[in-house]
Amino acid sequence: MAGARKPAALEEPGLEQVGLGALEHSAGLMLRIAQLTAFERFFALFGESEIKISEFTVLMAVAENPGIRQGVLADVLKIKWSNMTKLVRTLEERGLVARHVPRHDRRSVVLSPTDEGRRQIEKSGEKMYRLDREALSMLTDAEHDQLIALTRKIAGWPPISER
Amino acid sequence: MAGARKPAALEEPGLEQVGLGALEHSAGLMLRIAQLTAFERFFALFGESEIKISEFTVLMAVAENPGIRQGVLADVLKIKWSNMTKLVRTLEERGLVARHVPRHDRRSVVLSPTDEGRRQIEKSGEKMYRLDREALSMLTDAEHDQLIALTRKIAGWPPISER
DNA sequence: CAGAGATAGTTTATTTTTGAACAATTCAGA
DNA sequence: TCTGAATTGTTCAAAAATAAACTATCTCTG
């Protein structure tokens, strides 16, 4: 019927006989394809919802770091500042996070979760983690841990043990 | 001066004291952050150029699979069909790939590289792979292999050994 | 302390991506 | 064979992401 024929299910596209030759050793490309696959699967599981996954991620990050500057959060999550502005405004309008301009640096904006925001996390947090893991259910627990270790290293974050 | 303060160099954003709590165990999120980091680094190394990386990737994939249907390639590379249409047209206009409608199925379009396309690959292929590896230079060779194995598995591709 | 330059965030124009509607086939079953 | 559904690809309008210009504030240096 439409352009993309797959009904947003969890099927295999099935590389079949394609094969990308040397391209398959490009970790950058593979990283991207894997990421898109993972998100496709996640969204298929997650379905429609009020809050976007990017918004929920920011909300959770804010709850974990109350008083964080919005630009710092943007950099950590690799969200562009101009997008973060819009995203945070949405969260504020929904009463999930509060923006506050600190007296000592009136250029900046720091964020904290509202009670409603905390409630939202309480309500949906567990589901997020469950679906995130399920989207990657082709990996064993050991492989899952390996993936987290590798991605941390790529992102330049310290290994879990050192924190 | 501008929104993004970093001069597109290879600096550490330096997660510093942030820490995302449980979110750091979301492999989906980590996968995304790692992918964006890797691409950021790749582009910083790669600089300006005639051909976009997505275009070059398609060109190489076509050269590896002459006669492949454009929709199949789109699915494998996780490119939307509507984007693939535009992308392939660009490659055709530059004389790098040829489009051909096979007689037995006149709905479809199959692709093959032109001589000029092959020449382009000859010219730039090595550089691509080098920079791709360099963008992930924080990984050891063993980790790099691990990453490729994991991403293949996520994408639903067979392990290298089985091919 | 004046002022140049840097930093934080927002706004706006542009580009890119997406999704839905569409046309042209092909397929499959009555 | 005929007809309704499915496949393949394109087009186009809407949504999202990006980059560049801009405002406000802060910092540092002479």
Side-chain angles (χ1 to χ4, degrees):
Chain A
M1 190 197 292
R5 69 197 178 350
K6 280 171 294 176
L10 292 184
E11 325 170 7
E12 273 298 296
L15 181 60
E16 307 296 313
Q17 289 300 27
V18 177
L20 299 181
L23 225 42
E24 296 186 15
H25 293 280
S26 161
L29 174 62
M30 292 307 298
L31 201 49
R32 177 173 160 83
I33 292 177
Q35 193 260 300
L36 292 172
T37 304
F39 270 48
E40 226 171 54
R41 290 174 54 98
F42 181 89
F43 287 128
L45 293 167
F46 190 64
E48 306 297 303
S49 92
E50 288 295 307
I51 194 167
K52 283 199 280 183
I53 183 64
S54 57
E55 292 162 359
F56 196 79
T57 301
V58 167
L59 172 58
M60 296 219 273
V62 166
E64 191 70 33
N65 301 272
I68 194 176
R69 270 209 307 108
Q70 131 175 0
V72 171
L73 192 53
D75 288 347
V76 170
L77 295 178
K78 297 282 175 206
I79 295 173
K80 297 272 182 300
W81 284 25
S82 48
N83 294 334
M84 188 57 110
T85 294
K86 224 172 311 180
L87 210 158
V88 165
R89 179 173 305 152
T90 303
L91 289 174
E92 189 188 29
E93 279 167 0
R94 293 205 199 143
L96 300 174
V97 306
R99 291 161 34 96
H100 174 242
V101 175
R103 211 177 284 91
H104 64 277
D105 182 355
R106 303 206 327 282
R107 292 169 303 180
S108 62
V109 175
V110 299
L111 307 174
S112 50
T114 62
D115 289 347
E116 177 59 22
R118 269 184 284 264
R119 217 170 301 132
Q120 177 76 253
I121 290 173
E122 203 55 47
K123 197 183 113 202
S124 310
E126 191 273 330
K127 182 185 172 196
M128 290 288 169
Y129 289 117
R130 187 163 39 77
L131 296 187
D132 183 89
R133 185 64 185 84
E134 195 172 338
L136 291 172
S137 58
M138 72 292 285
L139 300 184
T140 66
D141 284 348
E143 288 168 335
H144 188 264
D145 288 352
Q146 238 179 38
L147 178 62
I148 291 197
L150 288 175
T151 50
R152 288 187 77 89
K153 197 162 185 182
I154 294 170
W157 298 9
I160 297 271
S161 58
E162 292 182 21
R163 288 190 45 85
Chain B
M1 189 195 296
R5 66 192 180 355
K6 280 171 295 175
L10 293 183
E11 323 170 9
E12 272 300 295
L15 179 62
E16 308 294 313
Q17 289 300 28
V18 176
L20 299 182
L23 225 42
E24 296 186 16
H25 293 279
S26 162
L29 174 62
M30 291 307 298
L31 201 49
R32 177 173 161 83
I33 292 177
Q35 192 261 301
L36 292 173
T37 304
F39 269 49
E40 225 172 53
R41 290 174 53 97
F42 181 89
F43 287 128
L45 292 167
F46 191 65
E48 306 297 305
S49 92
E50 287 295 307
I51 195 168
K52 282 199 279 183
I53 184 65
S54 56
E55 293 161 359
F56 196 78
T57 300
V58 168
L59 172 57
M60 296 219 272
V62 166
E64 192 69 35
N65 301 272
I68 194 175
R69 270 209 307 108
Q70 128 175 2
V72 171
L73 192 54
D75 289 347
V76 169
L77 295 177
K78 297 281 176 210
I79 296 173
K80 297 269 182 299
W81 284 24
S82 49
N83 294 333
M84 188 57 110
T85 294
K86 224 172 310 181
L87 210 158
V88 165
R89 178 173 306 152
T90 303
L91 289 174
E92 189 187 30
E93 279 166 1
R94 292 205 199 142
L96 299 174
V97 306
R99 292 162 32 96
H100 175 240
V101 174
R103 211 177 282 93
H104 64 277
D105 182 355
R106 303 205 327 282
R107 292 169 302 180
S108 62
V109 176
V110 299
L111 307 174
S112 51
T114 62
D115 289 347
E116 177 59 24
R118 271 184 284 264
R119 217 170 301 132
Q120 178 76 255
I121 290 173
E122 203 55 47
K123 199 183 112 200
S124 311
E126 191 273 330
K127 182 185 172 193
M128 290 287 170
Y129 290 117
R130 188 164 38 77
L131 296 186
D132 183 88
R133 185 64 184 86
E134 195 172 336
L136 291 173
S137 58
M138 72 292 283
L139 300 183
T140 66
D141 284 348
E143 288 168 335
H144 188 263
D145 288 353
Q146 240 178 36
L147 179 62
I148 292 197
L150 289 175
T151 50
R152 287 187 78 89
K153 197 162 186 181
I154 294 170
W157 298 9
I160 296 269
S161 57
E162 291 183 22
R163 288 190 46 84

